[in-house]
Amino acid sequence: MAECKNQRKHVLLLAYQSFGMVFSDLSIPPLYVYKCTFSGRLRHYQNEDTVFGAFSLVFWTLTLFSLFKYVGFMLCANDNGEGGVFALYSVICRHAKFCLLPNQQAADEEISTYHSVGYSNRNVVSSRFKKFVEGHKKMKTALLVLVLFGAAVFITIAIFTPAISILSSVEGLQVRAKNLHHGMLVIIALFLLIGLFVLQHYGMHRVAFIFAPIVILWLLSIAFVGIYNIIKWNPRVYQALSPYYIYKFFGETGKDGWISLGGILLCITGTEVIFAGLGHFTASSIRVAFSFVVYPCLVLQYMGQAAFLSQNFSSVSTSFHSSIPDSLFWPVTVMATLAAIVASQAVVSATFSIAKQCHALGCFPRIKIVHKSKWVHRQTYVPEINWALMILCLAVTVGSQDTIHLGNAYGIACITGIFVTTCLTSMIIDFVWHKNLVVALLYFSFFGIIEIIFVSSSCMRIPKGGWVPLVLSAVFMSVMYVWHYGSRKKYLYDLHNKASMKWILTLGSDLGIVRIPGIGLVYTELASGVPAMFSQFITDLPTFYQVVVFICVKTVPIPYVSQKERYLIGRIGPKPYKMYRCIVRYGYKDVHENDDYDFENAIVMSVAEFIQLEAEGGGTLDGSVDGRLAVVRSSENFGKRFMMSESDGNKESSSWSYPASGSSSRSAALQKLKSMYELESPEFCNRRRIQLKLLDTTYKDSRVKEEILELLEAKDAGVAYVIGHSHIKAKWNATFWKRLLINVFLSFLRKNCRSPSVGLNIPHISLIEVGMNYYL
């Protein structure tokens, strides 16, 4: 009983918190829905039946999409509690052979969260449609393009949401200040927009606690205003809840009514954020908040505005603000502006998450992803995306200077994103839930046909600003696809040109080079084999570190990978070679470690644990070749063989020498330069230094302890990070379009994005880059 009570409290707490992050965007459309709906020829139909018909369309659109489709159905189509277009794509890829991500291994399927509870693809007969898609690479590519287009549309939505929300909230000032020029309203909106994006750098953790109260007060305010207008102007408006008024609406307005659907659909802008924000909450908490607060408040507000317009049609351009009682005008207007800012913040934060997921799945140029522990849990900040959104948002605000033109563009972007979600969900019904194909087609037919009707209406608004989101979405999708194409071709080139194990074994345990003290972390995208970059390095410069660890940082199609299952460790070649492989697995929503010292220690401890497990396994992890991999952190003794000591980064680096260490790989002059660099660099001032020391643990095989001690000595001597510096060109005999794509577009993106070391959080002082030419 007590457990059930605590669970209810937890659901209510999450429901309360969800108002600020999930429902703020959906609560803003009452500011501009009727204005955009009656912006065209529909304004000539000034009668009660037309207004009631418009409200009936709003009510049923909100009910069918927001309540039934998203809150009632889509929340079930999640990926281990995560929502969004990439969550749908990941679920599909795990249950069908559609994934185009490189480095996928059978070991990834053993991750505890890889298979959804109750929906396993094992021992299930695949449908014919599934087999058809799996057997055609073009179908897989088309699916990826559809997903990338959905992500591009969401980024475009993040451009228009702040613009239309903030501009429509301040437009109410003209209701009281008749002489206030519209240009001044645009300037006020621009200042608010600039402030919104500038503050993103500092995070919203200091003020995030007020987001939910602001949205709740806003919803209650507009519900009260709606009730006031129903009672005062037209109590009979409740009759418009009947779909019969939709029939009367189209019977009277005809084509003009169909064109007005582009304004009606604005009432569901923000529904995508409900699904995308699922990961921060639970499906039950979102359903409680929407069903008992958000949905009733929005219906009352739309109904109240319709009652007001039925008697005051001349005020349709300012219907929301004109319908506010005089005594509540300024409080509600201030609340509208605050709610618009909160809604904009929620969409911008969701866009950072979308960009991060695109980047993790290899479909976005390298960007800097900032996450601080003091920020809200899982909150990220991407500087490049933030400033690009700000510039584009300011541009569309200045370019349109009107809510109607922004609404034309905003509506097309939103309904397109909703249609993409419908397509992906239909595939989940068939491929993941193993329902009959007829069920998937029924779902697609019901919602898809309605959405296509809305899209067809929105197309009539393309000449009036609707072309902007289509162009922006096409540009964003092209950038993502070009980057994915280049990354995949580069990986296939590496896979084809990797060094053979036979060649490695013929070199002997010293690899035919001078082995110096230290650890060399060689980054590669290959999950097996030795990259050509390493063979080129030791051929051109026959010297390398005593311990070599090939690091493959990859993304698996699940949201999160637990720390226990993150590291896969194996051995390359016989033991005297001291060559290991470490595959670091992240989910598409995981935040990478920012502390390279933590990462170094995690690698060393994982390799040491592998050495011990290998000895205990009696040869089951044979390393005579590119051997088997082990999930070492699942061991009960992981980390218990070491003692960790910590010190501030402002101490001399010489005080951190390992007692058992032999000679250093650096001369006295280089060590002094390194110490001076660390002391002068601000990033090293408060840096943690952690030293590992092997405890007096009894080992059955003395060679195991000896190998672990050598590993620790190598770490103390120094850790270097080796990555490839790629120069990519198309082959001389490639087609014109391929040369254009690789030599022009891909080359431009690679030159204007972050370096690989930034994304991997590699310290610059420890970085070694190896030049590589790629001819794709």
Side-chain angles (χ1 to χ4, degrees):
M1 193 68 172
E3 183 180 352
C4 184
K5 186 176 181 181
N6 291 333
Q7 187 176 4
R8 285 198 295 267
K9 287 183 178 180
H10 181 65
V11 169
L12 291 176
L13 176 61
L14 290 178
Y16 166 76
Q17 295 173 343
S18 68
F19 284 102
M21 296 185 65
V22 175
F23 299 114
S24 53
D25 191 24
L26 188 62
S27 67
I28 298 300
L31 294 173
Y32 49 78
V33 165
Y34 285 113
K35 177 180 179 179
C36 294
T37 299
F38 290 94
S39 61
R41 295 180 180 177
L42 200 65
R43 71 178 63 186
H44 301 304
Y45 299 87
Q46 300 185 15
N47 56 68
E48 184 179 279
D49 285 345
T50 304
V51 175
F52 280 17
F55 165 66
S56 188
L57 279 168
V58 168
F59 170 74
W60 285 105
T61 302
L62 186 68
T63 301
L64 285 176
F65 286 95
S66 297
L67 181 62
F68 291 161
K69 180 184 175 182
Y70 277 86
V71 176
F73 185 83
M74 286 297 301
L75 295 184
C76 298
N78 62 76
D79 183 11
N80 293 295
E82 296 293 332
V85 64
F86 280 108
L88 297 176
Y89 179 64
S90 298
V91 172
I92 294 172
C93 287
R94 294 205 306 272
H95 291 80
K97 299 175 182 178
F98 298 163
C99 188
L100 293 176
L101 292 177
N103 296 329
Q104 299 305 299
Q105 300 169 284
D108 298 336
E109 298 185 16
E110 303 303 322
I111 298 176
S112 56
T113 56
Y114 193 89
H115 295 284
S116 303
V117 178
Y119 299 108
S120 176
N121 61 340
R122 299 174 180 177
N123 303 321
V124 176
V125 179
S126 300
S127 66
R128 293 182 179 179
F129 179 59
K130 179 180 177 181
K131 291 180 180 179
F132 173 78
V133 177
E134 288 178 338
H136 293 77
K137 185 179 177 181
K138 290 184 178 180
M139 295 297 292
K140 299 178 184 179
T141 304
L143 176 61
L144 177 65
V145 170
L146 178 67
V147 172
L148 295 182
F149 182 68
V153 167
F154 195 95
I155 297 174
T156 304
I157 290 173
I159 296 171
F160 287 95
T161 298
I164 192 172
S165 299
I166 292 179
L167 182 59
S168 61
S169 67
V170 299
E171 279 182 340
L173 297 176
Q174 284 187 316
V175 174
R176 290 300 178 90
K178 302 290 185 181
N179 297 327
L180 185 62
H181 192 268
H182 187 76
M184 184 58 65
L185 295 179
V186 175
I187 293 175
I188 295 173
L190 292 177
F191 274 109
L192 292 175
L193 289 170
I194 292 173
L196 171 71
F197 287 103
V198 168
L199 291 177
Q200 296 296 322
H201 172 71
Y202 301 98
M204 292 294 174
H205 59 285
R206 299 182 187 276
V207 295
F209 70 95
I210 66 172
F211 289 172
I214 287 175
V215 176
I216 292 173
L217 287 175
W218 164 247
L219 287 169
L220 295 178
S221 299
I222 61 177
F224 175 79
V225 172
I227 295 172
Y228 169 82
N229 287 319
I230 294 171
I231 297 173
K232 180 178 180 180
W233 297 107
N234 198 337
R236 294 186 300 104
V237 72
Y238 75 90
Q239 297 175 0
L241 295 174
S242 170
Y244 172 71
Y245 278 87
I246 298 178
Y247 171 77
K248 292 181 65 176
F249 175 83
F250 285 114
E252 182 175 348
T253 60
K255 181 181 177 180
D256 296 334
W258 167 67
I259 295 175
S260 71
L261 291 177
I264 296 292
L265 67 86
L266 291 174
C267 70
I268 55 174
T269 55
T271 49
E272 280 291 304
V273 179
I274 296 177
F275 185 52
L278 176 60
H280 297 278
F281 307 98
T282 62
S284 56
S285 63
I286 290 178
R287 289 189 177 110
V288 167
F290 183 83
S291 303
F292 293 99
V293 179
V294 179
Y295 180 72
C297 290
L298 290 176
V299 170
L300 288 173
Q301 167 55 213
Y302 287 123
M303 188 185 295
Q305 269 198 72
F308 173 81
L309 284 176
S310 65
Q311 306 297 324
N312 302 274
F313 195 85
S314 59
S315 301
V316 67
S317 60
T318 58
S319 60
F320 175 81
H321 293 94
S322 298
S323 66
I324 302 173
D326 293 341
S327 58
L328 296 177
F329 179 83
W330 290 111
V332 173
T333 301
V334 171
M335 288 302 302
T337 306
L338 293 176
I341 294 173
V342 173
S344 304
Q345 165 61 32
V347 175
V348 171
S349 296
T351 306
F352 293 155
S353 179
I354 287 287
K356 178 189 174 300
Q357 294 171 50
C358 288
H359 174 259
L361 295 172
C363 300
F364 206 86
R366 292 185 293 267
I367 51 179
K368 183 178 181 181
I369 300 172
V370 181
H371 178 269
K372 298 180 181 178
S373 57
K374 65 180 180 179
W375 287 7
V376 178
H377 182 52
R378 299 178 183 174
Q379 182 187 3
T380 55
Y381 167 69
V382 183
E384 295 91 336
I385 299 297
N386 182 64
W387 302 124
L389 287 179
M390 185 186 77
I391 293 172
L392 292 172
C393 186
L394 295 177
V396 298
T397 305
V398 173
S400 62
Q401 297 193 11
D402 182 58
T403 305
I404 295 175
H405 287 90
L406 288 172
N408 294 338
Y410 191 30
I412 291 179
C414 290
I415 195 61
T416 306
I418 291 172
F419 182 72
V420 170
T421 304
T422 301
C423 296
L424 295 175
T425 308
S426 301
M427 299 180 72
I428 285 182
I429 294 173
D430 182 26
F431 302 158
V432 181
W433 295 349
H434 308 298
K435 302 297 182 182
N436 194 294
L437 181 60
V438 175
V439 178
L441 290 176
L442 287 175
Y443 173 85
F444 179 80
S445 299
F446 180 75
F447 288 107
I449 291 176
I450 298 174
E451 290 158 9
I452 290 173
I453 293 173
F454 277 113
V455 170
S456 64
S457 172
S458 299
C459 288
M460 302 299 296
R461 298 173 182 246
I462 288 178
K464 301 177 181 179
W467 60 272
V468 178
L470 298 179
V471 172
L472 290 175
S473 298
V475 170
F476 293 144
M477 186 192 69
S478 300
V479 168
M480 289 187 277
Y481 182 75
V482 167
W483 188 265
H484 166 78
Y485 177 83
S487 301
R488 183 167 177 80
K489 288 293 183 182
K490 178 178 176 293
Y491 168 75
L492 294 175
Y493 182 94
D494 282 332
L495 192 64
H496 180 72
N497 293 278
K498 64 183 180 181
S500 66
M501 281 305 304
K502 182 178 179 181
W503 178 76
I504 294 293
L505 293 174
T506 57
L507 296 177
S509 60
D510 288 334
L511 301 179
I513 59 176
V514 178
R515 303 291 287 268
I516 60 176
I519 297 179
L521 302 181
V522 183
Y523 280 81
T524 174
E525 293 182 2
L526 299 178
S528 62
V530 176
M533 171 191 66
F534 179 73
S535 59
Q536 178 177 325
F537 183 91
I538 62 176
T539 301
D540 296 341
L541 184 64
T543 303
F544 208 74
Y545 293 95
Q546 140 189 18
V547 176
V548 182
V549 183
F550 292 95
I551 306 291
C552 174
V553 179
K554 71 173 190 176
T555 301
V556 291
I558 57 176
Y560 302 100
V561 178
S562 66
Q563 285 289 340
K564 288 185 177 182
E565 299 176 301
R566 176 152 295 161
Y567 295 93
L568 275 175
I569 306 295
R571 187 188 294 276
I572 300 178
K575 292 183 180 180
Y577 281 60
K578 296 185 179 64
M579 296 172 62
Y580 308 92
R581 180 181 311 284
C582 177
I583 298 178
V584 188
R585 303 180 293 186
Y586 288 97
Y588 57 83
K589 296 199 74 174
D590 269 321
V591 177
H592 293 209
E593 291 96 340
N594 291 322
D595 194 331
D596 56 279
Y597 274 97
D598 286 344
F599 181 72
E600 291 173 8
N601 289 320
I603 295 295
V604 171
M605 292 171 68
S606 298
V607 172
E609 188 66 30
F610 170 81
I611 294 171
Q612 179 65 26
L613 290 175
E614 184 184 38
E616 295 174 355
T620 56
L621 298 174
D622 182 20
S624 58
V625 290
D626 193 355
R628 293 172 56 188
L629 301 171
V631 184
V632 294
R633 288 207 168 194
S634 59
S635 171
E636 295 179 358
N637 296 321
F638 181 82
K640 296 181 180 180
R641 299 180 176 90
F642 302 96
M643 181 179 70
M644 303 176 66
S645 54
E646 183 176 344
S647 174
D648 294 332
N650 55 6
K651 293 188 178 181
E652 291 289 342
S653 59
S654 59
S655 65
W656 279 94
S657 60
Y658 187 79
S661 177
S663 61
S664 175
S665 61
R666 298 183 178 89
S667 65
L670 286 177
Q671 288 182 355
K672 185 177 180 181
L673 285 173
K674 180 177 181 293
S675 301
M676 291 174 61
Y677 175 85
E678 291 182 353
L679 290 173
E680 293 174 0
S681 299
E683 68 225 50
F684 286 95
C685 291
N686 298 316
R687 202 175 192 182
R688 295 190 308 146
R689 303 284 184 96
I690 298 176
Q691 184 183 23
L692 298 176
K693 185 176 181 181
L694 189 63
L695 297 174
D696 294 330
T697 306
T698 303
Y699 291 89
K700 296 180 181 180
D701 190 346
S702 60
R703 290 175 297 180
V704 174
K705 183 175 182 179
E706 185 178 323
E707 188 174 2
I708 294 176
L709 283 173
E710 289 178 355
L711 179 67
L712 295 180
E713 290 176 7
K715 177 185 180 299
D716 183 66
V719 178
Y721 298 76
V722 183
I723 64 173
H725 185 81
S726 308
H727 181 67
I728 297 178
K729 299 286 288 184
K731 292 180 180 179
W732 66 271
N733 59 346
T735 62
F736 168 77
W737 295 110
K738 188 174 181 179
R739 291 200 305 271
L740 179 67
L741 191 147
I742 294 176
N743 295 344
V744 179
F745 297 127
L746 181 61
S747 177
F748 174 81
L749 293 176
R750 290 178 63 85
K751 289 178 182 178
N752 292 276
C753 68
R754 301 275 184 172
S755 65
S757 59
V758 174
L760 295 169
N761 297 311
I762 296 176
H764 184 70
I765 193 174
S766 305
L767 177 64
I768 299 174
E769 291 186 307
V770 181
M772 287 288 293
N773 290 321
Y774 288 82
Y775 295 96
L776 307 179

